[in-house]
Amino acid sequence: MGNKITGAEYPLNKIFSSDFVYKIPSYQRPYAWTNEETGVLFDDLYSFYVEQKDKEEDKQDNYFLGSIVLVKKTGDPNSKVIDGQQRLTTLSILFSCLANAFQNEAIKNECKSYVMEPGKLTQGISSQPRLMLREKDQSFFEKYIQKCNIDDLLKIEEAQILESQRNIKVNSEIMKNKIIDNFSDDDSMLRFLQFLLTRCFIVVVYTESEESAFRVFTVMNSRGLNLMTIDIVKSKVIGSIDKKDQQDYTDKWENLEAQTSRNGFNDVFTHTRMIYFKTKPKQNLLKDFDETLLKTIPPKKLIDDVLEPYAEAYTTLVRKQYVSTKNADKINQYLFWLNKIDNSDWMPSAIKFMAEHKYNSDYILWFVRKLERLASFLHVTAKDINKRIDRYKVLLEEMESNPNHSLNDLITSIELSNEEKKEFVEVLNSEIYKLTSKRRNFVILRLNEFVGDGATNFEFEPKILTIEHVLPQTISSGSEWDKLWTDLSEREIWLNKIANLVPLTRKKNSEAQNYDFDKKKDIYFKGKNGTTTYPLTTQVLNEQTWSPDVVAERQKKLIDKFKECWDLTYI
């Protein structure tokens, strides 16, 4: 019995009911969703709600919030959460913020019941939290979220609480502000709450054995040969082709799959869907293909004129292997940097362009240079997925509306606006070290190539990349640094800016970080053979001193280099 796996789809009014009492095991990571994931979750829910509310009730669709994996016995509400902590916690925050916003006490109390079981004496159900976080966070979560003390939560100084608790606080503020921005009264909030509870669903998969639950989780998140969307689409497409041609097109299909890999070909479908729909999926990928593309594009044409050129373009892009007698190296270097960005939202535009202009290397070079700048802007300024998709949507629409665009009739939406350039420069000129590690490393390595005039090839990156402060984060009283940087406010200004940061190919050394400048250069910043692979670090080695004036001048030069190489001059 312990290995029996049960799965069912439930609306949120059932997910947050006495049927389930969730507990996060101590070995799970802390709550980690940031304002980006939380903002995207609310925006997706709200935009879907707005789309549906004007439809007739029998024509309204449901919203799928994914799946959770539990260790649970049938009939027993106690549920150990193996997968789903982030969604359950964030949805609890949303219900708490809605309860906090309602003026009507009856609705407020009913909304509170979705985060805290009020108890039912007649059924032997005691009052208790519906979700128990890890021990370190539960008392905090219960005090502020499950008892709906949102206003008190937002007054807490973030420096006094754990990172997971800071995430709870920040995400509560995001939810509270979005509720204020989108709803004017109790009635409008109530309609949204009703939508959440009755039309938003989660698939619950549970088993009595923890080992079995982990196996389910692994299979659901694996990249093995489990059935994919492409397998189902393949059967529909090939099955629609005349029998005399089926084998030829089966061979074509399998060649494309071999060329891109199974996961890669699945990605091609995802990007193809975006090229045609230009919006984030509101339903599953298969349904979009089945209801629209497969009904409007004949199966042979879909393979010959869409999937084949798109798969070829995709392969070129991800492998960074554009081939031409002209511009190939420069194009592939831009493709390298595009692939370093932590999302692939740029890919549909690039696939469409590459498929349509693959023999025009001059135009491709112009395009990938502009696209890399646009993608870098969206990445470095931390635009969330909805903002990124909206920005690329404009580009796809222009490419579609002007199919004859060329170097003599350029597409313009790929350009950064004056406001975007200004925002980009402001972020680059800010405390770069405080960005997320992916964004920080991208900025510093990109600048490193700029100052190296493109001569550095990062296809063979070192396994270790450390971003080090030249002026140390901690300065000992009486040290050379203390004498050179006497103004504490000046230290704060420059400490985390890009002028004071260098990339290294060695692990952090807590002792070396506080060396005086000359010793730090000779012992810590140089490689084993007395040199460094990074032009940015070489520049620092050539400085005789590291004073506030030197750093200020260096900051200006580096920002000017960004402006030059990314064409960020604005009015």
Side-chain angles (χ1 to χ4, degrees):
M1 287 294 293
N3 289 327
K4 180 183 177 183
I5 298 170
T6 303
E9 187 178 65
Y10 297 102
L12 290 189
N13 62 34
K14 185 65 72 171
I15 294 291
F16 292 93
S17 73
S18 55
D19 288 3
F20 299 94
V21 178
Y22 304 102
K23 183 172 183 180
I24 309 300
S26 58
Y27 54 75
Q28 292 274 25
R29 67 173 179 160
Y31 177 61
W33 268 22
T34 65
N35 58 340
E36 177 172 349
E37 291 92 350
T38 300
V40 168
L41 174 65
F42 183 92
D43 291 345
D44 286 350
L45 287 167
Y46 183 73
S47 62
F48 189 82
Y49 161 71
V50 170
E51 287 179 12
Q52 299 300 313
K53 69 178 182 177
D54 294 328
K55 292 183 179 180
E56 296 177 20
E57 188 166 349
D58 62 344
K59 294 183 180 178
Q60 291 182 347
D61 295 320
N62 295 326
Y63 190 91
F64 177 55
L65 278 158
S67 58
I68 60 176
V69 179
L70 311 173
V71 178
K72 178 185 181 300
K73 294 180 180 178
T74 300
D76 184 348
N78 291 300
S79 308
K80 185 185 292 186
V81 180
I82 302 302
D83 182 44
Q85 173 194 179
Q86 308 297 326
R87 271 163 295 165
L88 290 171
T89 306
T90 308
L91 288 168
S92 297
I93 292 171
L94 174 55
F95 285 131
S96 182
C97 289
L98 282 167
N100 183 70
F102 277 114
Q103 298 299 311
N104 182 293
E105 285 298 319
I107 303 175
K108 181 187 289 284
N109 289 330
E110 189 173 334
C111 192
K112 285 181 179 180
S113 73
Y114 295 107
V115 291
M116 179 73 80
E117 167 61 58
K120 297 181 179 71
L121 294 177
T122 57
Q123 298 179 35
I125 299 173
S126 59
S127 174
Q128 62 181 325
R130 298 208 183 280
L131 170 65
M132 298 286 291
L133 298 190
R134 301 179 330 138
E135 187 176 344
K136 288 183 179 180
D137 294 325
Q138 178 52 32
S139 60
F140 180 90
F141 192 66
E142 182 174 347
K143 178 179 180 179
Y144 294 109
I145 299 301
Q146 292 167 326
K147 293 185 177 177
C148 300
N149 293 317
I150 301 299
D151 294 334
D152 290 341
L153 170 62
L154 300 187
K155 295 175 185 176
I156 296 176
E157 288 289 335
E158 292 184 15
Q160 301 174 359
I161 54 180
L162 300 173
E163 182 179 2
S164 53
Q165 296 167 4
R166 287 200 297 273
N167 290 334
I168 291 170
K169 179 196 168 185
V170 168
N171 293 342
S172 298
E173 187 169 12
I174 290 288
M175 290 296 194
K176 178 181 178 180
N177 290 337
K178 286 187 177 291
I179 289 167
I180 291 171
D181 292 342
N182 290 288
F183 305 108
S184 57
D185 52 29
D186 276 9
D187 286 343
S188 57
M189 281 194 298
L190 179 59
R191 288 192 292 274
F192 180 62
L193 178 60
Q194 291 168 340
F195 156 77
L196 291 176
L197 294 170
T198 62
R199 291 202 171 275
C200 295
F201 287 76
I202 288 177
V203 170
V204 178
V205 180
Y206 67 89
T207 175
E208 294 182 18
S209 159
E210 189 162 317
E211 181 182 354
S212 179
F214 273 112
R215 189 162 59 249
V216 170
F217 170 69
T218 301
V219 170
M220 289 172 65
N221 291 275
S222 72
R223 289 183 170 269
L225 292 176
N226 48 313
L227 195 65
M228 291 182 172
T229 298
I230 53 171
D231 299 311
I232 303 172
V233 174
K234 177 183 178 182
S235 67
K236 290 176 175 287
V237 174
I238 300 298
S240 301
I241 294 174
D242 294 339
K243 287 190 176 181
K244 63 182 178 65
D245 295 325
Q246 278 187 2
Q247 188 58 53
D248 287 342
Y249 278 89
T250 298
D251 292 343
K252 273 192 177 187
W253 187 287
E254 292 177 356
N255 287 338
L256 293 176
E257 193 174 302
Q259 172 189 332
T260 57
S261 79
R262 276 175 57 81
N263 289 300
F265 202 34
N266 212 59
D267 289 343
V268 171
F269 273 79
T270 302
H271 298 317
T272 300
R273 185 217 160 275
M274 182 61 69
I275 290 169
Y276 280 88
F277 287 85
K278 304 175 187 65
T279 60
K280 201 162 73 171
K282 300 292 192 301
Q283 48 198 358
N284 64 59
L285 180 63
L286 178 61
K287 195 172 181 181
D288 278 344
F289 262 88
D290 203 23
E291 292 185 354
T292 306
L293 290 183
L294 298 186
K295 288 184 178 179
T296 57
I297 305 176
K300 289 183 180 180
K301 183 178 178 63
L302 177 66
I303 295 173
D304 291 337
D305 297 345
V306 179
L307 296 180
E308 199 164 37
Y310 284 4
E312 181 183 346
Y314 171 85
T315 304
T316 298
L317 293 167
V318 297
R319 294 180 183 174
K320 306 165 288 277
Q321 291 180 348
Y322 179 74
V323 177
S324 174
T325 56
K326 184 181 179 185
N327 299 324
D329 287 345
K330 291 180 180 178
I331 289 169
N332 289 325
Q333 191 72 348
Y334 282 116
L335 295 183
F336 170 80
W337 290 108
L338 279 164
N339 279 280
K340 292 295 290 180
I341 289 168
D342 73 345
N343 64 77
S344 59
D345 299 320
W346 55 271
M347 185 69 79
S349 304
I351 287 175
K352 180 175 174 61
F353 189 95
M354 187 70 74
E356 294 173 354
H357 302 275
K358 65 178 180 178
Y359 299 118
N360 189 340
S361 67
D362 287 335
Y363 196 22
I364 288 176
L365 176 60
W366 176 90
F367 178 83
V368 294
R369 179 172 178 266
K370 298 290 185 179
L371 185 65
E372 187 273 334
R373 180 181 64 165
L374 173 58
S376 298
F377 161 73
L378 296 170
H379 176 43
V380 174
T381 58
K383 297 293 185 272
D384 66 35
I385 185 171
N386 289 329
K387 290 185 174 66
R388 295 194 302 265
I389 287 176
D390 286 345
R391 187 62 174 81
Y392 290 120
K393 175 185 176 181
V394 177
L395 176 56
L396 283 167
E397 286 176 338
E398 184 182 6
M399 292 165 67
E400 191 174 276
S401 65
N402 181 16
N404 297 318
H405 61 87
S406 65
L407 280 171
N408 296 320
D409 183 15
L410 295 169
I411 47 179
T412 59
S413 55
I414 199 170
E415 299 283 3
L416 295 185
S417 68
N418 200 60
E419 291 73 21
E420 288 172 332
K421 289 181 179 180
K422 184 177 180 182
E423 181 184 0
F424 201 178
V425 171
E426 286 173 352
V427 173
L428 294 170
N429 204 23
S430 69
E431 294 184 281
I432 290 297
Y433 193 76
K434 291 186 176 181
L435 302 181
T436 61
S437 59
K438 286 183 178 179
R439 292 162 61 209
R440 176 179 68 223
N441 291 353
F442 180 84
V443 168
I444 291 173
L445 291 178
R446 197 71 185 94
L447 176 61
N448 189 73
E449 189 196 39
F450 288 157
V451 300
D453 295 325
T456 307
N457 187 346
F458 287 105
E459 284 287 2
F460 304 100
E461 291 179 78
K463 292 180 180 179
I464 298 173
L465 171 65
T466 299
I467 305 302
E468 183 58 59
H469 293 79
V470 182
L471 168 69
Q473 297 180 77
T474 303
I475 293 178
S476 301
S477 178
S479 68
E480 178 190 279
W481 293 113
D482 189 38
K483 295 172 184 175
L484 194 59
W485 291 76
T486 56
D487 188 336
L488 294 180
S489 62
E490 201 164 34
R491 293 182 196 173
E492 285 188 19
I493 290 171
W494 296 112
L495 178 66
N496 293 312
K497 290 198 172 185
I498 202 161
N500 191 51
L501 304 175
V502 293
L504 300 178
T505 56
R506 55 170 52 185
K507 293 180 180 178
K508 283 183 178 291
N509 182 324
S510 57
E511 180 183 353
Q513 289 173 38
N514 298 317
Y515 287 159
D516 289 341
F517 184 54
D518 285 342
K519 188 175 181 181
K520 203 170 188 179
K521 287 194 299 180
D522 290 339
I523 298 176
Y524 192 33
F525 286 178
K526 289 181 180 178
K528 291 181 180 178
N529 59 358
T531 62
T532 175
T533 56
Y534 295 111
L536 270 178
T537 312
T538 301
Q539 287 184 342
V540 174
L541 291 173
N542 292 332
E543 295 291 346
Q544 299 305 307
T545 185
W546 201 252
S547 66
D549 288 343
V550 169
V551 176
E553 178 62 24
R554 175 172 167 79
Q555 180 77 11
K556 182 180 182 305
K557 288 180 179 178
L558 294 181
I559 295 301
D560 285 344
K561 178 60 74 171
F562 275 128
K563 288 182 177 180
E564 173 194 343
C565 295
W566 263 330
D567 188 18
L568 297 178
T569 302
Y570 58 87
I571 301 172

